[in-house]
Amino acid sequence: MDSEPPSGAASGRRAVMPPRMPRLVDVAEAAQVSVATVSRALNDSRTVDPVLAARVRTAAARLGYRPNAIARNLRRRGTRVWALILTNIDNPFYTALARGVEDAASEFGYSVLLYNTEEEALRERRYLEAAAQERVAGAVLVPRANNSDASALLDAGIPVVVADRRLDGCGDFVTAASYEGAVTATEHLLSERWRRPACISRPADTPTAEQRRQGYQAVVDRHGLPAIVCQIPFHAQDRAWMVEDLLDGDDAPDSFLTIDSMLALVVLHALRRRRLRTGRDVGLISFDDPAWAQVVEPPLSVVAQPAYEIGVAAARLLVERIRGVPGAGPRTVTMSTALIVRGSSRRPPHAKV
Amino acid sequence: MDSEPPSGAASGRRAVMPPRMPRLVDVAEAAQVSVATVSRALNDSRTVDPVLAARVRTAAARLGYRPNAIARNLRRRGTRVWALILTNIDNPFYTALARGVEDAASEFGYSVLLYNTEEEALRERRYLEAAAQERVAGAVLVPRANNSDASALLDAGIPVVVADRRLDGCGDFVTAASYEGAVTATEHLLSERWRRPACISRPADTPTAEQRRQGYQAVVDRHGLPAIVCQIPFHAQDRAWMVEDLLDGDDAPDSFLTIDSMLALVVLHALRRRRLRTGRDVGLISFDDPAWAQVVEPPLSVVAQPAYEIGVAAARLLVERIRGVPGAGPRTVTMSTALIVRGSSRRPPHAKV
DNA sequence: TTGTAGGCGTTATCAT
DNA sequence: ATGATAACGCCTACAA
């Protein structure tokens, strides 16, 4: 048996100990009822005498009683917590997605654990494991790559909703129509009479990036144009150089499709150093619609994704999964993208090549 | 007593039930040892026979055993989870701060619950309550206003580190030198020969905003210049109008200090509509150094705050608080800001007024 | 309607 | 070094 300090007074308690929080029994004692009655009064007060219920609530309030979620979770065998595992909270797209998830979770009565993998496989593995040990009620996962392994969660029977980047055999999936968006964007560049569009993308093991690259490629192929693809690692130090090298090469592009807004920044940096202007010397269109898109000169043309709504949709699927019958097959929700033409993708009538 | 389904076989378990996870007793049975030995082998294996320890680990691995953090927390009377309560994850400053906290937390072995209050008092209250019930080991709090009430956490003896916005009587505090930063920024504008700088700030109950406003005001007062202050609510719909109204008024400013990067976007919007250019027609300098600062034309002058480092510092203070003697008085860490002059704050030699 | 008491899975004490 | 076992705080089946 444990040797607890005498609970009688301050005698056995060291001064440095945090104050012991009131428990159900304390409330019960104060209200002169049993713990069962307190528990019932505080949860489903239907089956409890209103008079007693009031007495209980008064006592609870007076003592500053706060239910211990740990004990409750143990007894209920489940938490009211979700894990949100994503690759890079700095990317405004994921920031918005996170807001959507958090917002909806809060509405459904869940708290959310944020795990930022920084696109690192090791961290992702650690986090999936941590989430499983925390016995989260569910998880929204943006996998690092197509070989990410969510089995730590799945084996534990924890529902997982995958967001943004496909991951097979992993339950539900919410994403935007990446391929179609890339097709639209590339066709837009061509309709503006750009003839050598480049696709600035991410490593090929990033599913969504790869789909966008393919959408781009399909269009340039169909038009008999060369595919100019540049896959920039997430952790590259010399990102701007890669674009500048591209511009210096023999087969320099005359326009760009960037598959996320951080790459648009990279391209804009490179262009600035080369003293090239978008919407004039070169064309530029990017996936995502970051807050700054409308304050650059000229404003940035984009393929906007409903990032916040994707987060909300993921949350909705997750609650259904948690409440619902596991029998139901995996569902995929594909949100549509929106082409927003601003200035950066335009090509002036008499531009030189 | 509870009526559990017979645990013997699949007979009593409905097909829809999630798989029951292996417990310590299961590992013990498989390894032919007592639960105590398993627990010891998996935690502090010093005091256990290497042979048995190996057998335990093998059995645990084979069964896919994952310690139940809920039960562990109950027994240990404490979680390995922090709460990160902040006002707006969309603001790049807080995004970076969150990364810092999460990064450090992960290193210290903690998970972090993200609570995004959206600058709403009600949500903040709910979240503080939720964090307290979750019995988090500690919290990093960016309070909504100077009247925020963290007693839900404090009463429970949960250490709180306040970040960015001061909140008295609430333990440790990490922030950047707002007042000084604003002084520096304002003096910089004056040194560029702008004569009517305006301060685009936030409501007066936002401590940090107020300090920046005061820093600005001290400088313009000292120079006998008029103070032009515009406090834009966080949820305002017509934010750009407020700035445009300012520009249309009799006492129109010739330059701006914005106290966060989102307000810089608002001002840039307004200026665009008025066809005014920064670094030429008007001056602009902003707190924070968002990723887009260097791709606007001209690049944005800023007072940069070490957002990520503030998050890390908060995390460090928090672990010390958790591990250390509560006797130690509240500490304040003030990080210095950095004036980065780019193009937007410059005033050309022969500018017209 | 209310009370009693067992157990959720783990850790740590005590006894061996 | 190992094992049996009592809590941690809550919920709920069962008895009254």
Side-chain angles (χ1 to χ4, degrees):
Chain A
M1 110 187 67
D2 288 6
S3 74
E4 300 299 339
S7 56
S11 64
R13 186 195 292 166
R14 290 182 322 195
V16 298
M17 284 294 293
R20 184 74 129 284
M21 299 203 62
R23 299 154 301 166
L24 223 40
V25 288
D26 301 318
V27 180
E29 192 178 9
Q32 303 276 38
V33 293
S34 74
V35 289
T37 303
V38 177
S39 176
R40 280 189 285 249
L42 264 32
N43 297 321
D44 59 330
S45 55
R46 279 164 305 216
T47 172
V48 54
D49 185 329
V51 180
L52 282 194
R55 219 162 75 198
V56 167
R57 273 192 289 274
T58 307
R62 189 164 54 75
L63 295 180
Y65 171 74
R66 248 179 279 276
N68 182 326
I70 306 172
R72 167 177 291 176
N73 292 340
L74 182 58
R75 176 60 235 231
R76 300 228 242 247
R77 294 186 180 179
T79 62
R80 294 289 277 173
V81 173
W82 289 350
L84 170 57
I85 304 173
L86 45 73
T87 54
N88 180 9
I89 190 72
D90 262 353
N91 182 333
F93 171 76
Y94 293 124
T95 312
L97 189 152
R99 265 190 58 231
V101 171
E102 202 271 343
D103 241 26
S106 146
E107 216 149 283
F108 290 126
Y110 290 89
S111 294
V112 359
L113 282 169
L114 175 69
Y115 292 114
N116 195 42
T117 65
E118 310 266 5
E119 304 275 359
E120 292 171 25
L122 178 64
R123 267 180 95 137
E124 184 179 64
R125 203 158 48 240
R126 277 211 334 256
Y127 283 162
L128 285 161
E129 183 61 33
Q133 295 198 9
E134 291 290 343
R135 299 297 194 265
V136 294
V140 174
L141 170 67
V142 178
R144 187 195 66 86
N146 50 20
N147 67 347
S148 289
D149 177 16
S151 60
L153 259 22
L154 298 173
D155 291 352
I158 295 172
V160 175
V161 172
V162 175
D164 185 49
R165 300 184 187 171
R166 156 157 279 127
L167 186 59
D168 294 329
C170 215
D172 303 330
F173 180 46
V174 190
T175 191
S178 282
Y179 184 91
E180 293 78 358
V183 166
T184 305
T186 311
E187 281 174 344
H188 167 67
L189 287 177
L190 297 185
S191 78
E192 286 286 334
R193 291 164 298 109
W194 299 108
R195 278 297 160 266
R196 300 184 57 79
C199 178
I200 311 299
S201 186
R202 295 297 191 180
D205 65 348
T206 314
T208 296
E210 195 57 8
Q211 284 169 20
R212 293 174 188 172
R213 199 224 71 211
Q214 287 168 359
Y216 154 86
Q217 191 129 13
V219 173
V220 292
D221 284 357
R222 173 149 35 85
H223 286 258
L225 297 172
I228 309 172
V229 174
C230 178
Q231 294 171 318
I232 299 188
F234 291 101
H235 301 287
Q237 297 294 320
D238 47 359
R239 298 167 305 188
W241 297 359
M242 297 182 70
V243 176
E244 291 181 63
D245 285 352
L246 208 60
L247 286 166
D248 293 340
D250 291 340
D251 48 359
D254 64 2
S255 54
F256 298 87
L257 164 61
T258 56
I259 64 108
D260 69 45
S261 71
M262 314 194 75
L263 289 176
L265 285 177
V266 172
V267 168
L268 285 170
H269 265 287
L271 295 178
R272 167 180 294 274
R273 281 205 247 169
R274 282 287 179 280
R275 299 187 189 285
L276 293 171
R277 279 175 296 182
T278 61
R280 190 167 155 156
D281 309 316
V282 300
L284 172 60
I285 185 168
S286 178
F287 264 82
D288 298 339
D289 191 17
W292 51 263
Q294 302 187 53
V295 299
V296 290
E297 181 55 41
L300 186 69
S301 295
V302 299
V303 176
Q305 302 185 80
Y308 178 89
E309 288 76 13
I310 289 176
V312 172
R316 280 202 233 282
L317 288 179
L318 194 50
V319 272
E320 288 178 23
R321 236 355 135 180
I322 291 171
R323 302 207 261 243
V325 219
R331 294 161 296 179
T332 293
V333 174
T334 306
M335 309 279 228
S336 55
T337 59
L339 173 69
I340 302 176
V341 177
R342 300 195 182 107
S344 70
S345 57
R346 294 251 163 75
R347 186 166 187 249
H350 306 296
K352 51 189 173 185
V353 180
Chain B
M1 109 190 60
D2 288 8
S3 74
E4 300 297 338
S7 56
S11 65
R13 187 194 292 165
R14 290 182 322 194
V16 298
M17 284 294 292
R20 183 75 129 284
M21 300 204 60
R23 300 154 301 165
L24 222 39
V25 288
D26 303 317
V27 179
E29 192 178 8
Q32 304 276 37
V33 292
S34 73
V35 289
T37 303
V38 178
S39 176
R40 281 188 286 248
L42 265 31
N43 296 320
D44 59 330
S45 55
R46 279 165 302 224
T47 173
V48 55
D49 186 330
V51 181
L52 282 194
R55 220 162 74 200
V56 166
R57 274 191 290 273
T58 308
R62 190 164 53 74
L63 294 180
Y65 171 74
R66 247 178 278 277
N68 183 327
I70 307 173
R72 167 176 292 175
N73 292 340
L74 180 59
R75 177 60 235 220
R76 297 228 241 246
R77 295 191 186 177
T79 63
R80 293 291 273 174
V81 173
W82 288 350
L84 170 57
I85 304 173
L86 44 74
T87 54
N88 181 10
I89 190 72
D90 262 353
N91 181 333
F93 170 76
Y94 293 124
T95 313
L97 188 151
R99 266 191 58 231
V101 171
E102 202 272 343
D103 241 25
S106 148
E107 214 148 285
F108 290 127
Y110 290 89
S111 294
V112 358
L113 282 170
L114 175 68
Y115 292 114
N116 194 41
T117 64
E118 310 267 5
E119 304 275 358
E120 294 170 26
L122 179 64
R123 269 182 94 135
E124 184 180 63
R125 203 156 49 237
R126 278 210 334 257
Y127 284 162
L128 286 161
E129 184 61 34
Q133 295 198 7
E134 291 292 343
R135 299 299 195 264
V136 294
V140 175
L141 169 67
V142 178
R144 188 194 66 84
N146 51 20
N147 66 348
S148 289
D149 176 16
S151 60
L153 258 22
L154 298 173
D155 290 351
I158 296 172
V160 174
V161 172
V162 175
D164 184 49
R165 301 184 187 170
R166 158 158 278 127
L167 185 60
D168 293 329
C170 212
D172 302 330
F173 180 47
V174 190
T175 192
S178 282
Y179 184 91
E180 293 78 359
V183 166
T184 306
T186 310
E187 281 175 344
H188 166 67
L189 287 177
L190 297 185
S191 79
E192 285 287 333
R193 292 164 297 109
W194 299 108
R195 277 297 160 265
R196 301 182 58 78
C199 178
I200 311 298
S201 186
R202 294 297 191 180
D205 64 350
T206 314
T208 297
E210 195 56 8
Q211 283 168 20
R212 292 175 189 171
R213 199 223 74 209
Q214 287 167 359
Y216 154 86
Q217 191 129 15
V219 173
V220 292
D221 284 357
R222 174 149 36 85
H223 285 258
L225 296 172
I228 309 173
V229 174
C230 177
Q231 293 171 320
I232 299 188
F234 290 101
H235 300 287
Q237 297 295 321
D238 46 359
R239 297 167 305 189
W241 297 359
M242 297 181 70
V243 176
E244 291 180 64
D245 285 352
L246 209 59
L247 287 166
D248 293 340
D250 290 340
D251 47 358
D254 63 3
S255 54
F256 298 87
L257 163 61
T258 56
I259 64 108
D260 67 47
S261 71
M262 315 196 72
L263 289 175
L265 285 177
V266 172
V267 168
L268 285 170
H269 266 286
L271 295 178
R272 168 180 292 274
R273 282 205 246 169
R274 282 288 177 281
R275 299 186 188 287
L276 294 171
R277 280 176 295 184
T278 61
R280 190 168 154 157
D281 309 315
V282 299
L284 173 60
I285 185 167
S286 178
F287 265 82
D288 298 339
D289 191 17
W292 52 264
Q294 302 187 53
V295 299
V296 290
E297 182 52 43
L300 186 69
S301 295
V302 300
V303 175
Q305 302 184 80
Y308 178 90
E309 288 75 13
I310 289 175
V312 171
R316 278 202 233 282
L317 288 180
L318 194 51
V319 273
E320 287 178 24
R321 232 4 129 174
I322 291 171
R323 302 207 263 243
V325 221
R331 293 161 298 178
T332 293
V333 174
T334 305
M335 309 276 228
S336 55
T337 59
L339 174 69
I340 303 177
V341 177
R342 300 196 180 106
S344 70
S345 56
R346 293 252 164 75
R347 186 167 188 248
H350 306 297
K352 50 189 174 187
V353 180

mmCIF file of all heavy atoms in Angstrom, chain B residues 215-231:
data_model
loop_
_atom_site.group_PDB
_atom_site.id
_atom_site.type_symbol
_atom_site.label_atom_id
_atom_site.label_comp_id
_atom_site.label_asym_id
_atom_site.label_seq_id
_atom_site.Cartn_x
_atom_site.Cartn_y
_atom_site.Cartn_z
ATOM 1 N N GLY B 215 4.999 53.919 -26.435
ATOM 2 C CA GLY B 215 6.350 54.190 -26.929
ATOM 3 C C GLY B 215 6.307 55.176 -28.085
ATOM 4 O O GLY B 215 7.097 56.126 -28.157
ATOM 5 N N TYR B 216 5.367 54.947 -28.973
ATOM 6 C CA TYR B 216 5.156 55.853 -30.096
ATOM 7 C C TYR B 216 4.829 57.254 -29.600
ATOM 8 O O TYR B 216 5.429 58.248 -29.997
ATOM 9 C CB TYR B 216 4.023 55.313 -30.971
ATOM 10 C CG TYR B 216 3.275 56.346 -31.763
ATOM 11 C CD1 TYR B 216 3.734 56.761 -33.016
ATOM 12 C CD2 TYR B 216 2.100 56.903 -31.263
ATOM 13 C CE1 TYR B 216 3.043 57.713 -33.736
ATOM 14 C CE2 TYR B 216 1.399 57.850 -31.978
ATOM 15 C CZ TYR B 216 1.866 58.256 -33.207
ATOM 16 O OH TYR B 216 1.187 59.196 -33.920
ATOM 17 N N GLN B 217 3.867 57.284 -28.661
ATOM 18 C CA GLN B 217 3.374 58.567 -28.176
ATOM 19 C C GLN B 217 4.469 59.372 -27.478
ATOM 20 O O GLN B 217 4.562 60.587 -27.652
ATOM 21 C CB GLN B 217 2.216 58.321 -27.199
ATOM 22 C CG GLN B 217 1.468 59.578 -26.830
ATOM 23 C CD GLN B 217 -0.027 59.399 -27.017
ATOM 24 O OE1 GLN B 217 -0.522 58.277 -27.163
ATOM 25 N NE2 GLN B 217 -0.748 60.501 -27.047
ATOM 26 N N ALA B 218 5.291 58.666 -26.720
ATOM 27 C CA ALA B 218 6.358 59.364 -26.013
ATOM 28 C C ALA B 218 7.259 60.104 -26.995
ATOM 29 O O ALA B 218 7.664 61.247 -26.754
ATOM 30 C CB ALA B 218 7.177 58.370 -25.196
ATOM 31 N N VAL B 219 7.531 59.468 -28.119
ATOM 32 C CA VAL B 219 8.431 60.082 -29.095
ATOM 33 C C VAL B 219 7.775 61.272 -29.791
ATOM 34 O O VAL B 219 8.367 62.349 -29.896
ATOM 35 C CB VAL B 219 8.897 59.046 -30.138
ATOM 36 C CG1 VAL B 219 9.688 59.714 -31.254
ATOM 37 C CG2 VAL B 219 9.730 57.971 -29.469
ATOM 38 N N VAL B 220 6.548 61.088 -30.273
ATOM 39 C CA VAL B 220 5.912 62.220 -30.960
ATOM 40 C C VAL B 220 5.685 63.374 -29.992
ATOM 41 O O VAL B 220 5.851 64.547 -30.356
ATOM 42 C CB VAL B 220 4.579 61.821 -31.646
ATOM 43 C CG1 VAL B 220 4.851 60.877 -32.802
ATOM 44 C CG2 VAL B 220 3.597 61.217 -30.669
ATOM 45 N N ASP B 221 5.344 63.055 -28.743
ATOM 46 C CA ASP B 221 5.173 64.116 -27.742
ATOM 47 C C ASP B 221 6.474 64.900 -27.581
ATOM 48 O O ASP B 221 6.491 66.124 -27.619
ATOM 49 C CB ASP B 221 4.767 63.513 -26.390
ATOM 50 C CG ASP B 221 3.309 63.082 -26.367
ATOM 51 O OD1 ASP B 221 2.616 63.315 -27.383
ATOM 52 O OD2 ASP B 221 2.870 62.512 -25.358
ATOM 53 N N ARG B 222 7.528 64.150 -27.427
ATOM 54 C CA ARG B 222 8.816 64.797 -27.201
ATOM 55 C C ARG B 222 9.193 65.725 -28.349
ATOM 56 O O ARG B 222 9.829 66.751 -28.157
ATOM 57 C CB ARG B 222 9.888 63.723 -27.000
ATOM 58 C CG ARG B 222 11.290 64.250 -26.896
ATOM 59 C CD ARG B 222 12.171 63.384 -26.004
ATOM 60 N NE ARG B 222 11.885 61.960 -26.101
ATOM 61 C CZ ARG B 222 12.401 61.146 -27.030
ATOM 62 N NH1 ARG B 222 13.246 61.627 -27.921
ATOM 63 N NH2 ARG B 222 12.092 59.870 -27.037
ATOM 64 N N HIS B 223 8.760 65.361 -29.550
ATOM 65 C CA HIS B 223 9.083 66.181 -30.713
ATOM 66 C C HIS B 223 8.012 67.226 -30.992
ATOM 67 O O HIS B 223 8.047 67.902 -32.010
ATOM 68 C CB HIS B 223 9.257 65.285 -31.946
ATOM 69 C CG HIS B 223 10.551 64.534 -31.947
ATOM 70 N ND1 HIS B 223 11.634 64.910 -32.704
ATOM 71 C CD2 HIS B 223 10.943 63.441 -31.249
ATOM 72 C CE1 HIS B 223 12.633 64.068 -32.501
ATOM 73 N NE2 HIS B 223 12.246 63.162 -31.618
ATOM 74 N N GLY B 224 7.032 67.310 -30.097
ATOM 75 C CA GLY B 224 5.978 68.293 -30.291
ATOM 76 C C GLY B 224 5.105 67.999 -31.497
ATOM 77 O O GLY B 224 4.498 68.893 -32.081
ATOM 78 N N LEU B 225 5.056 66.737 -31.896
ATOM 79 C CA LEU B 225 4.227 66.366 -33.047
ATOM 80 C C LEU B 225 2.895 65.809 -32.551
ATOM 81 O O LEU B 225 2.795 65.330 -31.421
ATOM 82 C CB LEU B 225 4.955 65.320 -33.891
ATOM 83 C CG LEU B 225 6.260 65.806 -34.528
ATOM 84 C CD1 LEU B 225 6.994 64.645 -35.178
ATOM 85 C CD2 LEU B 225 5.973 66.898 -35.548
ATOM 86 N N PRO B 226 1.881 65.870 -33.380
ATOM 87 C CA PRO B 226 0.577 65.344 -32.965
ATOM 88 C C PRO B 226 0.597 63.820 -32.919
ATOM 89 O O PRO B 226 1.261 63.184 -33.733
ATOM 90 C CB PRO B 226 -0.357 65.824 -34.071
ATOM 91 C CG PRO B 226 0.513 65.941 -35.275
ATOM 92 C CD PRO B 226 1.858 66.404 -34.758
ATOM 93 N N ALA B 227 -0.105 63.274 -31.948
ATOM 94 C CA ALA B 227 -0.244 61.817 -31.896
ATOM 95 C C ALA B 227 -1.476 61.422 -32.700
ATOM 96 O O ALA B 227 -2.572 61.933 -32.475
ATOM 97 C CB ALA B 227 -0.395 61.361 -30.457
ATOM 98 N N ILE B 228 -1.262 60.552 -33.663
ATOM 99 C CA ILE B 228 -2.380 60.070 -34.476
ATOM 100 C C ILE B 228 -2.511 58.576 -34.216
ATOM 101 O O ILE B 228 -1.699 57.783 -34.696
ATOM 102 C CB ILE B 228 -2.130 60.322 -35.978
ATOM 103 C CG1 ILE B 228 -1.733 61.779 -36.201
ATOM 104 C CG2 ILE B 228 -3.349 59.928 -36.782
ATOM 105 C CD1 ILE B 228 -1.303 62.086 -37.620
ATOM 106 N N VAL B 229 -3.492 58.233 -33.428
ATOM 107 C CA VAL B 229 -3.625 56.832 -33.020
ATOM 108 C C VAL B 229 -4.918 56.238 -33.554
ATOM 109 O O VAL B 229 -5.973 56.864 -33.478
ATOM 110 C CB VAL B 229 -3.602 56.706 -31.480
ATOM 111 C CG1 VAL B 229 -3.892 55.269 -31.064
ATOM 112 C CG2 VAL B 229 -2.250 57.165 -30.936
ATOM 113 N N CYS B 230 -4.817 55.056 -34.089
ATOM 114 C CA CYS B 230 -5.995 54.366 -34.595
ATOM 115 C C CYS B 230 -6.001 52.958 -34.014
ATOM 116 O O CYS B 230 -5.099 52.167 -34.282
ATOM 117 C CB CYS B 230 -5.949 54.324 -36.118
ATOM 118 S SG CYS B 230 -7.300 53.435 -36.878
ATOM 119 N N GLN B 231 -6.986 52.677 -33.189
ATOM 120 C CA GLN B 231 -7.033 51.367 -32.546
ATOM 121 C C GLN B 231 -8.046 50.477 -33.252
ATOM 122 O O GLN B 231 -9.257 50.695 -33.160
ATOM 123 C CB GLN B 231 -7.375 51.537 -31.066
ATOM 124 C CG GLN B 231 -6.237 52.253 -30.338
ATOM 125 C CD GLN B 231 -6.604 52.643 -28.929
ATOM 126 O OE1 GLN B 231 -7.718 53.076 -28.676
ATOM 127 N NE2 GLN B 231 -5.646 52.483 -28.009
#
